[in-house]
């Protein structure tokens, strides 16, 4: 399955719950790129050339990495993509590559949150680098013992979030009608308690 939504919609928060529930692997393209570079795999070395130059890693490199990853035994039960595809051409390329490799995307879950809420969510986000747990200063306050090590992303400022949300609408939102036409898009209201949203997702997945 694929998890889609604007920055701050709660993709990371929900992904952590869903992978536990369905025992599938969570694949974040950003995390995977950084890991491949660190491990020095052939794909990682190639990706690093682009990243070092401040350029976007080409679609075929990212798709190659995803295909390589989902072919591993721990993905036999399924996998969840988060952060990819980000554009309609990426969605089309991913679809073609998946088909060739014998994989099928069953569900695309779109977490819908009004723009007005995204800024507050992203600006209050703090992540624990040791456990990967995502907190929010107001909605999911971190325990005091982890407070000093929490990371506040550089792009979680009001200005950066506004730009990322605009970019989501212009570049990523066009993947929605693409998956809708394939009959696999499930819309979920992303406003409310995270537990309630997990229930909504579970319901639309029909499990
Ligand atoms: P994404 O991965 O879509 O960018 P995150 O899961 O990182 O979003 O969530 C962004 C911020 O919003 C985090 O600080 C998270 O704790 C908070 N958050 C996530 N889901 C909810 C929710 N249902 N209600 C309030 N805050 C939420």
């Amino acid at each position: 399955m694929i998890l889609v939504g604007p920055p701050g919609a709660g993709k990371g928060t929900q992904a952590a719950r869903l992978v536990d529930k369905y025992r599938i692997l969570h694949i974040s393209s950003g995390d995977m790129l950084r890991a491949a570079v660190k491990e020095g795999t052939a794909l990682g070395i190639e990706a690093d050339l682009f990243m070092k130059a401040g350029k976007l890693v080409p679609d075929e490199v990212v798709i190659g990495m995803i295909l390589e990853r989902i072919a591993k035994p721990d993905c036999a039960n399924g996998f969840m993509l988060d952060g990819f595809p980000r554009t309609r051409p990426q969605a089309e390329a991913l679809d073609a590559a998946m088909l060739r490799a014998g994989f099928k995307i069953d569900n695309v879950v779109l977490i819908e949150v009004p723009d007005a809420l995204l800024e507050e969510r992203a600006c209050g986000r703090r992540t624990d680098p040791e456990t990967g747990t995502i907190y929010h200063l107001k909605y999911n306050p971190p325990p005091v013992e982890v407070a000093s090590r929490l990371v506040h992303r550089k792009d979680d400022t009001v200005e950066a979030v506004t730009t990322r949300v605009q970019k989501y609408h212009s570049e990523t939102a066009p993947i929605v009608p693409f998956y809708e036409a394939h009959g696999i898009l499930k819309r979920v209201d992303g406003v409310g308690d995270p537990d309630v949203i997990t229930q909504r997702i579970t319901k639309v997945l029909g499990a």
Side-chain angles (χ1 to χ4, degrees):
M1 64 177 283
I2 299 177
L3 214 48
V4 183
K11 298 182 296 294
T13 302
Q14 294 302 325
R17 293 151 179 259
L18 296 167
V19 294
D20 274 353
K21 188 172 172 69
Y22 293 107
R23 302 223 191 100
I24 57 178
L25 203 91
H26 178 201
I27 298 177
S28 150
S29 53
D31 289 352
M32 217 169 45
L33 278 171
R34 286 183 285 273
V37 171
K38 209 170 152 193
E39 282 169 31
T41 63
L43 276 167
I45 291 166
E46 197 182 348
D48 199 32
L49 292 175
F50 294 95
M51 288 160 92
K52 271 208 190 105
K55 290 186 189 153
L56 280 178
V57 179
D59 296 352
E60 58 275 17
V61 177
V62 181
I63 290 172
M65 191 149 42
I66 291 171
L67 289 179
E68 199 173 80
R69 185 65 193 87
I70 63 183
K72 289 187 180 166
D74 58 355
C75 285
N77 205 27
F79 54 89
M80 173 188 288
L81 292 185
D82 164 13
F84 195 92
R86 261 192 155 78
T87 62
R88 178 141 182 164
Q90 284 184 351
E92 287 168 3
L94 179 70
D95 218 50
M98 287 259 181
L99 205 71
R100 279 197 302 272
F103 294 105
K104 190 171 143 278
I105 298 160
D106 298 309
N107 296 287
V108 177
V109 174
L110 170 66
I111 305 182
E112 297 184 293
V113 174
D115 289 1
L117 286 180
L118 298 173
E119 188 187 291
E120 194 195 12
R121 283 209 191 167
C123 292
R125 167 164 50 196
R126 299 290 183 277
T127 309
D128 184 341
E130 279 181 29
T131 62
T133 308
I134 304 165
Y135 295 102
H136 189 281
L137 296 180
K138 181 169 159 195
Y139 299 116
N140 180 20
V144 271
E145 55 282 12
V146 305
S148 64
R149 65 173 190 238
L150 295 180
V151 175
H152 184 202
R153 275 170 52 169
K154 266 204 218 94
D155 56 353
D156 277 348
T157 60
V158 177
E159 301 75 36
V161 172
T162 307
T163 308
R164 280 157 61 215
V165 169
Q166 280 166 357
K167 234 176 157 180
Y168 169 82
H169 286 302
S170 60
E171 289 176 20
T172 309
I175 72 176
V176 171
F178 174 76
Y179 288 121
E180 210 156 31
H182 283 58
I184 53 173
L185 187 87
K186 316 277 159 73
R187 290 172 188 271
V188 170
D189 175 7
V191 181
D193 187 82
D195 286 338
V196 175
I197 294 159
T198 309
Q199 283 167 17
R200 287 180 193 147
I201 296 175
T202 313
K203 200 170 159 204
V204 296
L205 291 178

